[in-house]
Amino acid sequence: MPAGPVEARSKPRSIRVQDELTQRIDRGMLPAGSRLPSEPALAVELGVSRATLREALRALESEGLVRRMWGAGTYVADSRRVANSLDLNFGVTDAIRAAGMQAGIEQARHSMEPATVSEAARLELQPGSDVLVVERVRTADGKPIVLSRDILPGRLIAKRPEIADQMLTRSIYEVLERELGLVIHHGVASFRPVRADITVARRLGVPRGELLLAIWQVDYSEDGAPVLSSYEYHLADAFEFTVLRRGPGRRLS
Amino acid sequence: MPAGPVEARSKPRSIRVQDELTQRIDRGMLPAGSRLPSEPALAVELGVSRATLREALRALESEGLVRRMWGAGTYVADSRRVANSLDLNFGVTDAIRAAGMQAGIEQARHSMEPATVSEAARLELQPGSDVLVVERVRTADGKPIVLSRDILPGRLIAKRPEIADQMLTRSIYEVLERELGLVIHHGVASFRPVRADITVARRLGVPRGELLLAIWQVDYSEDGAPVLSSYEYHLADAFEFTVLRRGPGRRLS
DNA sequence: ACCTGAGAGTTGTCGGACAAGATACTAGGT
DNA sequence: ACCTAGTATCTTGTCCGACAACTCTCAGGT
């Protein structure tokens, strides 16, 4: 039973429609600013009812991909989708690849340790529970740019300890998804500028005091359980992070 | 006729439903994890059709406020809404107030200047067009923490130049909304750690080389037109910025 | 104690219909 | 010829009713 490959369980049709439209936009079939076919026409073309199509459109709208104007039509938003959007792209690996560079991993090691009090709180575990700690230096085109320390509950890999080794050579998100069927639903990230202390500086191969961006975050699975707590030290020039800020649409009185 | 009184009820009903549910969640009437009434029941209670309610629910879902499970019900998500979320809170003023401190402005000045080539591009203007430049030092409880430089198209205030003066004492977003009816729909922000150069250091009252977080962003109005381009230098310890990252829901092949 | 299946409840999808807003065109006046 | 106002038509918003697909619970049998 454990070796069950993830059955492509039937996703709601509206999700498929949403993905389809997202792809069309991303691939340029629907240029920014262009008008989509009318809802009845699009519904026929996609083989779904208008209600289902509207579900998808509503989702795309709140993602900011399209704008719907009453009586006028639905338009593809000027896709200010920047390459490395912090609130969309997940993981250092994706970010490096998005920048068109080769993602690599060096100085990787993992260990099972008892959770500190603060770590246990972040992951909603009992203090002292076993947690898997993975430390890695991420490289872009062979050059070190990020030092990361990832912490996840030990029980996740208790039955398949060999999974930890895979994390030394591949994205943790990839491993979680492919080996455990665990999909990250969302994460909460914080960041601030810091100076490299001697430990970090040595591992990244930069002088002490070098400018870094520290990012720490907790990722949650679909059912809201914390899955991964991570700390990253980025070289200041490594990435240009971007965030889409959604305006004060709804104001509480 | 031109002098039509602005009837405010032009918003789609689904938006009102969405706001209503958002308020109920924020006010604790719908605790995190609790189940919402069934769609037919909720629709009756809110006085809308089920289709309209579903539009609102779909939007709330993609905002991460609720989770819908096929055949099981709709549940309020564990709202990990952090205080100073970069992708939600807008403007330094809001951020300072959210932290429970008194927002102030010092060393404020404004001037009308011709747009540089890069600024013109950001604001989609002709190079050399007049732009209003507002420079301010923002304070929290009297202590300088942010140096900001805001740039907006001159035509916006061409007919009411006195508006520029208001920006020296209040949030630009507030002024835009109250005086011009301009509501920011979304913005694209980028950031990176920098060191304070002599100019910035002097104005913020910190030593040269101090750790800062530089944020630059462009804000857009509801119709997608760029309205405001701004540069901010934040003291590293001023805020703890947070971003809600939405998971890799849809993966492009 | 465990497994099995029927039932009720909930969300997903469908089809059609009408209302409300926006745009484009036409007829009328200047 | 130009502008204006009204109309025609298209598009999105909302509504209704119905059925399908899925979950969970609970009674019944093993």
Side-chain angles (χ1 to χ4, degrees), chain A residues 12-14 47-52 70-72:
Chain A
R13 238 183 285 247
S14 60
V48 297
S49 74
R50 198 183 147 210
T52 302
W70 197 344

Side-chain angles (χ1 to χ4, degrees), chain A residues 248-253, chain B residues 19-20 22-24 26-27 81:
Chain A
R250 58 209 105 276
R251 279 203 181 287
L252 312 180
S253 60
Chain B
D19 292 347
E20 169 65 22
T22 301
Q23 286 198 9
R24 289 193 186 184
D26 283 343
R27 292 180 179 171
R81 274 195 154 172

Side-chain angles (χ1 to χ4, degrees), chain B residues 25-154:
Chain B
I25 293 175
D26 283 343
R27 292 180 179 171
M29 297 185 215
L30 297 170
S34 66
R35 215 194 76 183
L36 273 69
S38 71
E39 292 181 356
L42 237 188
V44 170
E45 179 186 337
L46 296 171
V48 298
S49 75
R50 200 184 146 209
T52 302
L53 171 63
R54 279 180 65 79
E55 286 263 324
L57 287 178
R58 161 61 87 187
L60 291 178
E61 184 186 32
S62 53
E63 282 184 18
L65 270 154
V66 303
R67 298 185 51 228
R68 296 197 288 178
M69 298 188 321
W70 197 344
T74 304
Y75 295 81
V76 180
D78 300 314
S79 194
R80 313 258 168 206
R81 274 195 154 172
V82 201
N84 188 21
S85 183
L86 183 57
D87 50 353
L88 283 183
N89 278 351
F90 248 70
V92 177
T93 306
D94 284 353
I96 294 176
R97 286 177 184 158
M101 293 186 284
Q102 183 72 26
I105 295 180
E106 289 179 0
Q107 306 177 39
R109 61 188 185 211
H110 66 77
S111 59
M112 196 70 84
E113 303 176 4
T116 66
V117 174
S118 63
E119 273 315 320
R122 281 168 166 275
L123 293 174
E124 296 175 14
L125 299 174
Q126 296 299 324
S129 312
D130 277 347
V131 291
L132 176 67
V133 179
V134 181
E135 278 195 33
R136 301 175 294 178
V137 170
R138 323 297 290 270
T139 62
D141 289 346
K143 193 182 138 202
I145 55 171
V146 177
L147 170 63
S148 69
R149 177 184 169 91
D150 299 285
I151 300 159
L152 42 166

